[in-house]
Amino acid sequence: MRKIVAVPIGCGHYLPKRQVNNSEFERTIDTTNEWIISRTGIESRHFADPSENTSDLALKAARMALSDAKIAASELDALILATATPDQTFPSTATRVQHSLGMNKGFAFDIQAVCAGFIFALSNANALIKSGQVKKVMVIGAEIFSRILDWSDRSTCILFGDGAGALILEAAENNTKEIRRGILSTDLNSDGKYNDLLFVNGGVATTQTSGFVEMQGREVFKHAVSKLVSTAENSLKAANLSTKDVNWVVPHQANSRIISRTANIMGIDMNKVVMTVSNHGNTSAASIPIALSCSKQQNRFKSGDLLLMKAIGGGLAWGSVAMRW
Ligand code: COA
């Protein structure tokens, strides 16, 4: 049966130059390098220069992805950008990147699902491709969380970093039963009753400020582990696959303990789990595409490998995507 599949054809990432080690926080707040590493696995993160905006980070990741895919921006039909830290309230950061890239057709829009944003964007890109509306889509996750951190709150400011990652998907026709490459299944969820566990205490309609991150860390941790396991199982089941089929887990990089606990419950060996959190911190919607691009640079994935991507963030919003590389 003729089937349209969204196949990955290129990826890229960008991390701002300024790398900040845990020791910098020891000078300004009551914390230690040992505490941060033991509770989160984070050793350093990158922070954007004051002159850089989210669209600047996204643009660099997008250009690297275009070069990796060996296509021009003018060949893209759509650009979807996941961010919780847009340049402006409107228009979308996606349209700024569209213009800067020289993408002169199609459409661009932002998606907001905080740390799960890339999974939501990927799922939407997949749906647009499968419906036949577009052939080539750029999916970006880009964040400057350093602009919404309260530097006096030691339980949140040590967790996050800035960065951007991009993945390009292309429609491919698959006439055989066996799907060798591309997105196999997606699973999206949200539940607004958990708003107060992880949120920003400002907004256009409420305070007319952008606000700062607030979090009940321990509660978020518990929800993260159980919900990441259930969404991962859902997308594997939807693709008629099991954890034994997984070659690589590419999880949202929030905390190494969440990542290892989740892998442990699912019976997945940590050798199959991509971990970048130690050097990047939690880059929210950017963490999965950055991890994909770094893994590609290291030649870790083989064509056809089954990748399981999963993420959770404020909302709560969570989801997963099973994709053959
Ligand atoms: N340095 C030193 N001590 C710190 C600290 C820091 N940076 N941050 C918090 N603490 C202290 C707390 O004040 C508390 O002290 P108290 O017992 O005197 O009150 C103690 O450490 C324990 O706090 P708690 O919040 O229970 O710690 P925890 O073991 O749960 O670790 C997190 C805190 C934030 C690392 C952990 O809850 C976590 O990772 N949660 C998930 C967060 C996340 O990933 N969110 C994003 C999801 S997208």
Side-chain angles (χ1 to χ4, degrees), residues 249-277:
V249 179
V250 189
H252 168 48
Q253 307 285 321
N255 179 314
S256 63
R257 289 191 303 139
I258 295 177
I259 295 172
S260 54
R261 184 92 49 97
T262 310
N264 190 266
I265 293 170
M266 295 182 70
I268 294 178
D269 194 288
M270 283 306 288
N271 290 332
K272 293 182 173 179
V273 180
V274 174
M275 280 267 220
T276 57
V277 68

Side-chain angles (χ1 to χ4, degrees), residues 50-111:
S51 66
E52 286 179 309
N53 286 325
T54 299
S55 63
D56 298 317
L57 275 53
L59 182 64
K60 288 182 171 142
R63 284 193 174 132
M64 183 174 163
L66 286 172
S67 143
D68 187 42
K70 299 184 180 60
I71 64 165
S74 56
E75 292 177 57
L76 294 170
D77 303 305
L79 186 156
I80 308 177
L81 189 147
T83 189
T85 50
D87 290 11
Q88 295 166 285
T89 301
F90 79 81
S92 68
T93 303
T95 51
R96 291 171 68 97
V97 178
Q98 178 189 26
H99 174 67
S100 304
L101 270 183
M103 178 184 158
N104 48 18
K105 64 166 180 153
F107 56 94
F109 62 98
D110 284 1
I111 278 192

Side-chain angles (χ1 to χ4, degrees), residues 217-234:
R218 215 162 253 208
E219 281 303 303
V220 172
F221 194 103
K222 280 191 271 181
H223 283 286
V225 172
S226 64
K227 288 178 170 49
L228 287 169
V229 170
S230 70
T231 185
E233 286 172 352
N234 289 347

Side-chain angles (χ1 to χ4, degrees), residues 29-32 35-36 39-40 115 153-156 158-160 198 215-222 224 252 254-255 257-258 282 312-314:
I29 50 171
D30 182 14
T31 193
T32 60
W35 191 95
I36 299 173
R39 301 294 173 104
T40 70
C115 297
D153 178 3
R154 65 178 180 170
S155 66
T156 53
I158 48 111
L159 297 174
F160 296 92
L198 177 52
M215 181 176 65
Q216 295 178 36
R218 215 162 253 208
E219 281 303 303
V220 172
F221 194 103
K222 280 191 271 181
H252 168 48
N255 179 314
R257 289 191 303 139
I258 295 177
N282 179 347
I312 185 165

Side-chain angles (χ1 to χ4, degrees), residues 9-322:
I9 58 166
C11 58
H13 72 281
Y14 173 74
L15 291 157
K17 282 196 183 63
R18 186 168 165 240
Q19 195 172 1
V20 174
N21 297 325
N22 293 341
S23 55
E24 280 205 32
F25 288 96
E26 289 179 341
R27 281 179 236 135
T28 53
I29 50 171
D30 182 14
T31 193
T32 60
N33 179 41
E34 292 70 30
W35 191 95
I36 299 173
I37 291 177
S38 68
R39 301 294 173 104
T40 70
I42 298 166
E43 293 173 30
S44 66
R45 73 288 290 143
H46 296 253
F47 286 145
D49 186 81
S51 66
E52 286 179 309
N53 286 325
T54 299
S55 63
D56 298 317
L57 275 53
L59 182 64
K60 288 182 171 142
R63 284 193 174 132
M64 183 174 163
L66 286 172
S67 143
D68 187 42
K70 299 184 180 60
I71 64 165
S74 56
E75 292 177 57
L76 294 170
D77 303 305
L79 186 156
I80 308 177
L81 189 147
T83 189
T85 50
D87 290 11
Q88 295 166 285
T89 301
F90 79 81
S92 68
T93 303
T95 51
R96 291 171 68 97
V97 178
Q98 178 189 26
H99 174 67
S100 304
L101 270 183
M103 178 184 158
N104 48 18
K105 64 166 180 153
F107 56 94
F109 62 98
D110 284 1
I111 278 192
Q112 217 287 45
V114 208
C115 297
F118 184 74
I119 295 292
F120 277 60
L122 205 51
S123 178
N124 274 272
N126 182 48
L128 284 168
I129 285 178
K130 282 181 112 56
S131 69
Q133 287 184 74
V134 300
K135 285 206 163 22
K136 288 190 179 74
V137 189
M138 171 84 76
V139 187
I140 304 173
E143 302 279 17
I144 303 190
F145 253 59
S146 60
R147 306 260 156 89
I148 54 166
L149 294 177
D150 173 354
W151 299 109
S152 66
D153 178 3
R154 65 178 180 170
S155 66
T156 53
C157 71
I158 48 111
L159 297 174
F160 296 92
D162 303 334
L167 179 72
I168 303 173
L169 296 171
E170 180 178 36
E173 279 203 21
N174 200 307
N175 299 307
T176 62
K177 267 193 182 167
E178 191 202 349
I179 299 171
R180 289 186 198 88
R181 294 195 63 225
I183 293 182
L184 306 179
S185 62
T186 65
D187 179 62
L188 300 184
N189 313 267
S190 64
D191 191 339
K193 75 168 174 276
Y194 298 118
N195 181 96
D196 294 352
L197 296 189
L198 177 52
F199 64 100
V200 163
N201 60 14
V204 182
T206 49
T207 59
Q208 293 84 57
T209 63
S210 47
F212 297 110
V213 174
E214 286 191 30
M215 181 176 65
Q216 295 178 36
R218 215 162 253 208
E219 281 303 303
V220 172
F221 194 103
K222 280 191 271 181
H223 283 286
V225 172
S226 64
K227 288 178 170 49
L228 287 169
V229 170
S230 70
T231 185
E233 286 172 352
N234 289 347
S235 53
L236 285 176
K237 195 169 165 209
N240 282 321
L241 295 165
S242 78
T243 48
K244 289 194 199 74
D245 300 303
V246 175
N247 297 104
W248 294 100
V249 179
V250 189
H252 168 48
Q253 307 285 321
N255 179 314
S256 63
R257 289 191 303 139
I258 295 177
I259 295 172
S260 54
R261 184 92 49 97
T262 310
N264 190 266
I265 293 170
M266 295 182 70
I268 294 178
D269 194 288
M270 283 306 288
N271 290 332
K272 293 182 173 179
V273 180
V274 174
M275 280 267 220
T276 57
V277 68
S278 59
N279 295 323
H280 303 163
N282 179 347
T283 57
S284 184
S287 86
I288 291 178
I290 293 174
L292 288 174
S293 177
C294 290
S295 300
K296 174 149 193 198
Q297 279 187 327
Q298 295 157 10
N299 289 317
R300 295 183 89 180
F301 306 150
K302 290 198 304 290
S303 179
D305 272 359
L306 178 64
L307 270 54
L308 181 60
M309 297 172 268
K310 56 188 169 60
I312 185 165
L316 296 173
W318 66 101
S320 60
V321 173

